[in-house]
Amino acid sequence: MTPGIRPLVAGNWKMNGLKASLAQLTAMASQFDAALARNVDLLVCPPATLVQAAAAAAVGSAIAVGGQDCHANASGAHTGDVSAEMLADAGARFVIVGHSERRADHGETDAVVKAKAEAARRAGLVAVVCVGETRAEREAGKTLAVVRGQLEGSIPAGMTAADLVVAYEPVWAIGTGLTPTAADVAEVHAAIRSDLERILGKTESGKLRILYGGSVKPSNAAELMAIENVDGALVGGASLKAEDFMGIAAAYRG
Ligand code: 13P
């Protein structure tokens, strides 16, 4: 929670979801009432195959749709890849870049993530840049240094709060049911805010949404979202079902 920053609860469906899953998105839209929409933005990032249909299903609701990754180039000989322009054309408004699963499974470096964030901006999408330490890095006391390095390497100069969201996702908390303590989350989010101030300047860093991700569920959302400098959530498993996702968003019912 940061005074003056409108929070964002984002769902990352990862490699889950068939056409039938759009019923969950429709249910989310119907539960996203005006009172809740006054307090929070909602975003769902389905697999690329569903972006267009999800965007169509979300028309008329305040739920935004995003991609989970994009290529750095706008088009070309890159079999199997999807560009930011293609996502935008399909109705996406956001794209996640640098998720730890892409950094691990596809060897994406900070430089690659930075190029993808540039591509998002070029295509008019908001880039959701993910950072976070592994368990070994946390145990070695390197969390803040690792996150600082990822931010410095992954965020293009000149990004603004209108085209960038940062997500802190400790790798060891993803899909494990484990979460850092509130004090640990507060420490990392405060450090991210001051790192962003150095990278992007005080004005933009003061407006930027910094999401927490990693085992967020309805039962822990209110506590996590109340932490200073936590401006929303990036939700994996619990974003697949409307009941769970809206249970998390309900942390912002005032
Ligand atoms: P879980 O919520 O399943 O832990 O996943 C978090 C995540 O990786 C979202 O991008």
Side-chain angles (χ1 to χ4, degrees), residues 12 14 96 99-101 130 169 173-176 213-216 234-238:
N12 172 11
K14 308 190 179 184
I96 298 168
H99 191 282
S100 61
E101 287 151 16
C130 302
E169 297 206 306
I174 294 176
T176 59
S215 297
V216 179
L234 182 53
V235 185

Side-chain angles (χ1 to χ4, degrees), residues 99-153:
H99 191 282
S100 61
E101 287 151 16
R102 298 225 38 108
R103 291 177 185 264
D105 296 356
H106 300 271
E108 291 189 6
T109 60
D110 289 336
V112 167
V113 176
K114 187 184 210 166
K116 293 181 175 201
E118 293 271 20
R121 177 169 52 183
R122 182 188 66 222
L125 300 178
V126 179
V128 181
V129 174
C130 302
V131 297
E133 83 285 3
T134 62
R135 172 173 292 287
E137 288 162 346
R138 174 158 285 269
E139 285 171 356
K142 293 183 183 155
T143 298
L144 299 185
V146 165
V147 168
R148 185 182 318 123
Q150 289 174 330
L151 292 168
E152 286 169 351

